[in-house]
């Protein structure tokens, strides 16, 4: 294994020789990482290197995998009881006097559930983080309940998971898996992983893959049928559990975990927009969640969980919001903070950005920062992007919200007026997407960009040529960027609010009139928006939902939704409405 500072040792357990690797200071809490199928410990190399600064990190090759020896005979050598013996032997060798924090992926997690629910490991496991691998006992009960009391929904769930388990049936056939893995499948697997699961090439998979996969078929044969048909009735977790569920897991349905609280009362849920191999595709997020959870358990705070809606999705994520000093931007910063995100509040007005960051901390953000920047100033945005990257890392969610209003007929709108509105509303969004989007793209671990457009983007109006043009451009930019970044798991959403009660009405400019008339129109618009009284908090809620669901275009407010429908099915009506002269 090519990890810096890795120390290798052998541990003898139940007739096999296990290859164990340690990183970091043994005086720190021990985190044991258990790999899945068809993997070896190298699947964890990216996560392990990120955790080694803070913890004593231990990885081992499961019996028959990597550089650990295989049991003889193979049949019967991979039962969960024997795998538990192996885990206990490793835990006793690397951390004799102190319980370990267990982390499992795929079959490593299936094993982890066994370890954390059997009595003989009690006191040896401080916490368990599970990724993409259910307890076979819980799974057995899940199937049993649906077979005994079938409803259309439950039958659908059974069929859905049944279809996702196609490979499990194949692995039960004699000799075929061994032939396939030692033949063409083994050769093609790295390329398949790259293409289907977007797993970047590196020190993984290793050359031992064909043998690992052939031996590992016995994990299924020795355990699956027996446990699913006769699941243990007492499979309760005796340590706090963190469940990380990838939303796009091709092999496991999220529904499998619906009733998990009854088996694991101290449960923290996390959701990731990713496929099955998260230790390789999302090492930053996975290691951050492990670090947070282990630190909380070590500090005696296992029950502490963020309580806001979407906290399982955004907890610990880095979110940057522009124009966060007021209105929709401020409400969005608070909504992410309530979901446990770390928030960077950016505004051209320092004081309001500072206030937003302070309040964000109060409502739930574990950390919040304020930054002053004018989004239309390219150099200022470059500096901001560099600073955030160096000090805080890559932004997971970017909300390009800062914008200004401008109302007035085309011939009353000067070149200078056009420049101002396009500089902020369009160029501000371009700078944000280019600078922070590039960082997301280079990191290669997904992300999300939200651009605040407007219903004015698709609803023409004789009174708003410059504003509507800027917002239509933002809508189109978002659609183009969404197409370009889709292959990198970076979502792009355009939010199109209608009339929302914010300060924009008092700061919006009205062209072609003197200052007194402009002030009068601002007051009148503010009154109108006040009477309409659609709160920015509802827009913020729509933004979090749109990111969680990866929606492309989201009209918010009934009038924005109505206009959106008309723009698709009856644009003539919208064109007629656009001619109506606004009241003066
Ligand atoms: P808001 O209450 O005026 O908030 C906008 C914030 O952005 C303010 O704090 C503002 O600071 C800041 N800002 C303006 N220009 C900036 C720049 N160049 N650099 C950095 N920060 C800047 O307005 P809002 O209604 O929340 O608007 C947010 C977004 O929603 C805008 O893009 C707007 O076009 C869009 N939108 C609003 C509505 C609505 O009805 N309110 C409808 C559709 C779309 P200052 O206070 O110093 O200007």
């Amino acid at each position: 294994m090519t990890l810096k500072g890795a120390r290798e040792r052998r541990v003898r357990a139940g007739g096999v020789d296990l290859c164990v690797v340690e990183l970091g200071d043994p005086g720190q809490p021990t985190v044991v990482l258990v790999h899945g199928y068809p993997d070896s410990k190298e699947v964890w190399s990216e996560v392990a290197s990120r955790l080694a600064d803070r913890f004593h990190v231990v990885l081992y090759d499961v019996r028959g995998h990597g550089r650990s020896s295989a049991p003889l005979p193979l049949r019967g050598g991979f039962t969960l009881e024997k795998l538990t013996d192996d885990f206990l032997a490793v835990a006793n060798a690397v951390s004799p006097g102190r319980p370990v924090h267990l982390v499992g992926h795929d079959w490593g997690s299936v094993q982890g559930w066994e370890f954390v629910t059997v009595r003989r490991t009690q006191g040896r496991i401080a916490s368990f983080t599970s990724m993409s691998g259910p307890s076979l006992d819980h799974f057995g009960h899940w199937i049993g309940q649906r077979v005994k009391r079938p409803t259309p929904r439950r039958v659908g769930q059974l069929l859905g998971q049944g279809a996702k388990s196609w490979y499990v049936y194949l692995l039960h056939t004699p000799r075929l898996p061994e032939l396939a893995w030692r033949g063409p499948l083994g050769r093609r697997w790295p390329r398949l992983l790259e293409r289907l699961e977007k797993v970047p090439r590196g020190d993984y998979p290793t050359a031992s893959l064909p043998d690992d996969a052939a031996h590992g078929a016995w994990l299924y044969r020795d355990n699956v049928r027996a446990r699913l048909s006769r699941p243990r009735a007492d499979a309760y977790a005796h340590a706090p559990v963190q469940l990380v569920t990838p939303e796009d897991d091709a092999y496991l349905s999220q529904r499998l975990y619906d009733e998990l609280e009854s088996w694991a009362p101290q449960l923290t849920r996390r959701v990731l927009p990713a496929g099955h191999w998260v230790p390789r595709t999302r090492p930053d997020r996975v290691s951050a969640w492990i670090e947070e959870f282990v630190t909380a358990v070590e500090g005696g705070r296992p029950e502490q969980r963020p309580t806001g809606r979407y906290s399982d999705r955004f907890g610990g994520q880095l979110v940057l919001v522009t124009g966060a000093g007021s209105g929709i931007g401020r409400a969005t910063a608070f909504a992410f903070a309530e979901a446990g995100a770390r928030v960077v509040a950016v505004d051209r007005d320092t004081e309001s950005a500072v206030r937003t960051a302070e309040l964000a901390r109060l409502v739930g953000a574990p950390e919040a920062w304020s930054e002053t920047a004018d989004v239309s100033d390219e150099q200022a945005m470059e500096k901001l992007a560099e600073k955030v990257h160096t000090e805080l890392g890559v932004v997971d969610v970017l909300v390009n919200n800062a914008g200004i209003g401008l109302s007035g007929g085309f011939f009353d709108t000067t070149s200078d007026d056009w420049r101002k509105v396009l500089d902020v509303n369009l160029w501000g969004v371009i700078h944000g997407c280019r600078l922070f989007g590039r960082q997301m793209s280079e990191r290669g671990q997904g992300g999300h960009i939200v651009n605040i457009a407007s219903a004015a983007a698709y609803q023409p109006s004789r009174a708003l040529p410059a504003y509507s043009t800027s917002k239509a451009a933002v809508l189109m930019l978002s659609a183009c960027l969404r197409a370009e970044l889709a292959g990198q798991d970076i979502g792009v959403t355009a939010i199109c609010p209608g009339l929302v009660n914010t300060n924009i009405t008092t700061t919006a400019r009205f062209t072609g009139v003197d200052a007194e008339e402009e002030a009068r129109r601002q007051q009148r618009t503010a009154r109108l928006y006040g009477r309409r009284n659609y709160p920015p908090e509802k827009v913020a809620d729509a933004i979090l939902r749109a990111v969680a669901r990866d929606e492309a275009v989201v009209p918010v407010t009934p009038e924005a939704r109505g206009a959106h429908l008309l723009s698709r099915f009856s644009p003539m009506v919208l064109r007629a409405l656009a001619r109506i002269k606004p009241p003066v």
Side-chain angles (χ1 to χ4, degrees):
M1 190 162 195
T2 51
L3 277 172
K4 229 173 72 198
R7 309 176 292 276
E8 191 176 309
R9 64 154 96 177
R10 316 286 303 179
V11 170
R12 189 93 192 135
V16 293
D17 224 11
L18 299 171
C19 177
V20 181
V21 160
E22 291 171 81
L23 290 140
D25 177 1
Q28 295 301 319
T30 300
V31 176
V32 178
L33 306 168
V34 189
H35 70 79
Y37 178 85
D39 285 330
S40 55
K41 62 183 177 317
E42 283 72 17
V43 75
W44 288 116
S45 60
E46 293 290 331
V47 172
S49 62
R50 284 163 172 79
L51 293 174
D53 280 351
R54 292 280 317 269
F55 303 113
H56 173 217
V57 181
V58 176
L59 312 87
Y60 66 96
D61 284 319
V62 171
R63 51 172 58 208
H65 295 69
R67 300 188 344 96
S68 291
S69 64
L72 277 175
L74 291 170
R75 180 190 297 275
F78 289 84
T79 59
L80 284 168
E81 291 74 15
K82 289 184 177 159
L83 296 165
T84 308
D85 293 339
D86 293 355
F87 163 71
L88 279 172
V90 172
N92 291 339
V94 297
S95 179
R98 200 171 167 185
V100 302
H101 296 271
L102 174 64
V103 179
H105 173 250
D106 186 88
W107 256 93
S109 171
V110 176
Q111 293 186 52
W113 277 112
E114 174 79 2
F115 307 160
V116 81
T117 56
V118 293
R119 295 303 116 196
R120 63 195 173 111
T121 58
Q122 208 150 10
R124 297 298 293 126
I125 299 174
S127 77
F128 172 41
T129 296
S130 156
M131 289 168 231
S132 290
S135 150
L136 290 184
D137 298 302
H138 302 168
F139 193 2
H141 289 293
W142 185 88
I143 294 172
Q145 283 159 3
R146 277 151 188 80
V147 171
K148 266 184 231 145
R149 280 193 299 278
T151 61
R153 199 169 62 94
R154 288 176 147 209
V155 172
Q157 291 174 351
L158 265 181
L159 293 176
Q161 181 54 48
K164 284 185 173 219
S165 299
W166 56 271
Y167 64 98
V168 179
Y169 318 126
L170 286 179
L171 281 163
H172 278 83
T173 57
R175 300 249 284 281
L176 190 67
E178 283 84 347
L179 282 173
W181 281 113
R182 293 203 163 106
L185 185 56
R187 280 195 300 281
R188 296 209 181 111
W189 187 245
R191 218 168 339 124
L192 280 173
L193 267 186
E194 198 178 8
R195 189 130 38 92
L196 301 178
E197 290 284 336
K198 299 186 190 138
V199 171
R201 295 267 180 120
D203 59 349
Y204 160 90
T206 59
S208 64
L209 167 80
D211 284 337
D212 300 341
H215 291 153
W218 288 100
L219 290 167
Y220 291 86
R221 295 168 183 155
D222 277 351
N223 298 295
V224 173
R225 254 188 312 200
R227 279 301 172 94
L228 293 191
S229 54
R230 283 184 306 282
R232 286 161 49 222
D234 62 347
Y236 296 102
H238 47 66
V241 177
Q242 169 171 242
L243 178 78
V244 178
T245 317
E247 282 175 329
D248 308 318
D249 197 317
Y251 310 101
L252 293 163
S253 155
Q254 288 186 57
R255 299 281 72 82
L256 278 179
Y257 305 110
D258 278 355
E259 292 108 30
L260 197 58
E261 272 80 1
S262 60
W263 295 108
Q266 299 177 72
L267 184 69
T268 299
R269 287 178 184 265
R270 307 289 199 183
V271 179
L272 251 186
H276 183 77
W277 263 275
V278 286
R280 301 305 299 183
T281 59
R282 299 289 187 275
D284 282 353
R285 181 87 330 262
V286 164
S287 40
W289 275 338
I290 295 171
E291 178 174 337
E292 203 182 302
F293 189 60
V294 169
T295 307
V297 173
E298 283 288 317
R301 293 177 281 118
E303 293 287 346
Q304 197 196 44
R305 300 165 217 168
T307 49
R309 244 176 110 207
Y310 301 114
S311 57
D312 51 354
R313 173 67 169 75
F314 298 116
Q317 300 222 341
L318 185 62
V319 178
L320 185 142
V321 184
T322 68
S326 164
I328 295 170
R330 186 174 53 188
T332 304
F334 293 161
F336 276 111
E338 278 169 15
R342 298 145 66 225
V343 173
V344 186
V346 179
D347 204 283
R348 64 179 167 191
D349 178 55
T350 305
E351 230 177 88
S352 61
V354 168
R355 238 187 350 261
T356 299
E358 278 171 6
L359 285 171
R361 260 176 246 123
L362 286 179
V363 298
E367 293 170 295
W369 304 266
S370 62
E371 291 292 340
T372 312
D374 179 340
V375 295
S376 66
D377 179 341
E378 184 169 2
Q379 280 180 356
M381 287 296 279
E382 275 171 3
K383 259 200 202 145
L384 172 73
E386 204 179 304
K387 184 175 178 203
V388 170
H389 189 230
T390 319
E391 293 178 7
L392 309 174
V394 177
V395 164
D396 296 298
V397 181
L398 165 70
V399 185
N400 286 310
N401 162 77
I404 51 174
L406 182 73
S407 177
F410 179 75
F411 295 115
D412 289 330
T413 308
T414 64
S415 306
D416 208 34
D417 292 330
W418 273 97
R419 252 188 298 278
K420 272 189 195 134
V421 83
L422 290 176
D423 276 352
V424 178
N425 291 8
L426 177 58
W427 276 101
V429 175
I430 295 174
H431 296 322
C433 291
R434 192 171 60 78
L435 295 161
F436 292 100
R438 188 186 291 283
Q439 290 175 9
M440 283 181 197
S441 167
E442 284 174 356
R443 176 177 65 167
Q445 297 182 43
H448 206 103
I449 298 173
V450 178
N451 295 328
I452 309 300
S454 165
Y458 46 78
Q459 180 178 0
S461 154
R462 58 180 288 163
L464 297 169
Y467 181 78
S468 300
T469 302
S470 73
K471 293 300 185 180
V474 168
L475 183 61
M476 181 51 85
L477 166 65
S478 308
C480 295
L481 202 56
R482 183 176 173 86
E484 185 171 342
L485 299 181
Q488 299 178 48
D489 289 347
I490 299 173
V492 181
T493 298
I495 300 285
C496 302
L499 307 184
V500 184
N501 194 10
T502 69
N503 275 342
I504 202 164
T505 47
T506 43
T507 53
R509 297 240 2 265
F510 289 78
T511 61
V513 292
D514 61 22
E516 202 182 321
E517 175 59 16
E518 184 173 28
R520 196 185 69 78
R521 291 190 185 187
Q522 284 170 339
Q523 281 165 14
R524 201 199 50 221
T525 316
R527 275 199 303 276
L528 170 75
Y529 278 52
R531 275 203 299 276
R532 169 76 185 85
N533 204 17
Y534 194 93
E537 289 73 23
K538 278 195 173 180
V539 186
D541 203 43
I543 291 173
L544 267 69
R545 193 169 51 239
V547 179
R549 296 182 184 168
D550 189 19
E551 292 172 327
V553 180
V554 181
V556 193
T557 75
E559 65 275 12
R561 282 197 293 275
H564 193 238
L565 277 177
L566 285 175
S567 73
R568 293 168 72 182
F569 300 111
S570 185
M572 264 172 60
V573 175
L574 276 190
R575 284 197 283 269
L577 289 173
R579 294 180 182 206
I580 297 172
K581 241 181 161 180
V584 284

